[in-house]
Amino acid sequence: MRNINEDTITQAVIASFANCGNPRLRTVMTSLVQHLHAFARDVHLTEDEWFKAIKFLTEVGHITDDKRQEFILLSDTLGLSMLVTSQNNRKPANCTEATVFGPFYVEGAPFYSNGDDISNGAKGAPCYVSGQVRGAGGEAVGNAQLDVWQSDEDGFYDVQNQDEAGNVVHSARGRLRTDAEGFFNFRSILAEAYPIPHDGPVGRMLSAVGRHPWRPAHLHFMIEAPGYQTLITHVFRDGGQYLDSDVVFGVRSSLISEWKRHEPGVAPDGRDISVPWYSLEYDFVLNPSEVHA
């Protein structure tokens, strides 16, 4: 492979994959090289721009740790996350739509029972959430596991805050299971709009192209049950700002629901609440897995 030039470099790189024993990897790498090279030719990428791009990606890597995933933020804000989600989650019309995973999911969140308060001190107006998980045929899905997480009223997730010892105290986050009839309920806090972390390279990128960093108010859910496809989705607060300009392009009309405001008084769990509180009712419909079907 001598004397490679700008006209022959693409095919030379593709030819170098000839001994790849993984057909899928070879397909992906071949397409990746073709599109990267076509992009560079299309914009006539300069060496200075290439160096700046390498520096940008290096900074994305440096700021990423176990509490902040800047690469997911980059993928989210470029629409890649939602594109991959959409093309891998085509479902019957009656099933709940999927949306982006986001960078703040935590494995092994605390387990709660139905009716518990998962807010664990997170700042925000009280909110009672309830609903049912069903299958596409209308059947109740009992013992389904729900992972739930959200930001506090200041726009921060628990993993973005630490106590004096440097530990994360989980709040507004938890796992619970549906009852035998597929019903669930818990107390948390009112969802509020918030900006994604924008003090790093992704934030600078958004500013450079004239975009805001805001997400509309939402509550994250991941629902798993044997015989059904795992559902990763949000429920968005109706009437909230940024529903039509979500920085990660994740809003679906079917996922927008009303958070009902209630005056101070007796809440669904019998507590006497002295401040206005909210309630959200939302049902989820899971798509059967191939094995179940």
Side-chain angles (χ1 to χ4, degrees):
M1 287 193 282
R2 298 184 182 183
N3 302 319
I4 300 297
N5 60 37
E6 64 181 281
D7 298 317
T8 60
I9 182 68
T10 303
Q11 289 307 313
V13 176
I14 292 173
S16 73
F17 303 146
N19 294 325
C20 177
N22 184 326
R24 175 61 179 170
L25 177 60
R26 185 166 62 250
T27 296
V28 170
M29 291 301 296
T30 296
S31 183
L32 176 65
V33 167
Q34 289 173 328
H35 284 82
L36 280 176
H37 287 207
F39 160 74
R41 291 187 176 99
D42 183 44
V43 302
H44 197 78
L45 195 67
T46 68
E47 289 180 289
D48 181 60
E49 290 165 342
W50 179 83
F51 277 116
K52 287 179 179 177
I54 295 299
K55 180 182 178 183
F56 172 78
L57 292 175
T58 301
E59 291 172 348
V60 170
H62 284 167
I63 202 172
T64 296
D65 57 24
D66 60 343
K67 298 180 181 64
R68 175 168 178 162
Q69 235 303 349
E70 195 81 357
F71 278 106
I72 290 181
L73 286 179
L74 178 59
S75 175
D76 288 351
T77 56
L78 293 179
L80 179 60
S81 300
M82 197 61 225
L83 171 59
V84 173
T85 295
S86 296
Q87 67 185 12
N88 283 279
N89 287 275
R90 300 185 183 101
K91 301 175 182 180
N94 65 322
C95 291
T96 304
E97 291 188 271
T99 191
V100 293
F101 198 35
F104 296 116
Y105 169 73
V106 172
E107 290 187 8
F111 254 114
Y112 291 90
S113 298
N114 276 297
D116 283 351
D117 183 355
I118 73 168
S119 63
N120 196 26
K123 293 189 293 183
C127 180
Y128 289 82
V129 182
S130 61
Q132 185 184 27
V133 178
R134 302 189 303 271
E139 71 280 9
V141 182
N143 203 39
Q145 178 175 295
L146 282 72
D147 267 89
V148 184
W149 66 103
Q150 68 176 105
S151 71
D152 63 19
E153 68 178 8
D154 293 329
F156 294 106
Y157 287 80
D158 52 5
V159 293
Q160 296 175 280
N161 296 312
Q162 299 178 350
D163 62 19
E164 293 181 356
N167 300 313
V168 171
V169 177
H170 288 309
S171 58
R173 179 189 304 276
R175 290 180 290 168
L176 61 153
R177 292 189 178 276
T178 59
D179 66 16
E181 298 303 317
F183 290 100
F184 65 89
N185 68 93
F186 59 91
R187 175 177 167 171
S188 188
I189 55 175
L190 179 66
E192 301 281 6
Y194 66 87
I196 64 168
H198 56 286
D199 57 341
V202 170
R204 293 195 295 274
M205 181 270 292
L206 291 174
S207 178
V209 298
R211 288 174 56 190
H212 70 68
W214 286 85
R215 297 219 62 203
H218 62 274
L219 181 57
H220 292 262
F221 286 87
M222 182 168 73
I223 305 176
E224 301 173 277
Y228 297 89
Q229 295 176 1
T230 296
L231 172 65
I232 297 171
T233 194
H234 306 354
V235 180
F236 294 92
R237 184 178 164 192
D238 192 17
Q241 197 174 1
Y242 308 113
L243 286 170
D244 294 311
S245 62
D246 181 11
V247 68
V248 306
F249 310 99
V251 177
R252 296 292 179 266
S253 294
S254 67
L255 301 177
I256 300 173
S257 190
E258 180 185 6
W259 264 254
K260 294 181 180 178
R261 186 181 187 275
H262 304 269
E263 295 303 320
V266 179
D269 59 1
R271 301 187 196 190
D272 189 11
I273 299 182
S274 60
V275 297
W277 56 278
Y278 293 79
S279 64
L280 166 67
E281 296 181 15
Y282 195 88
D283 295 340
F284 298 91
V285 179
L286 304 184
N287 195 32
S289 65
E290 293 182 3
V291 174
H292 185 71

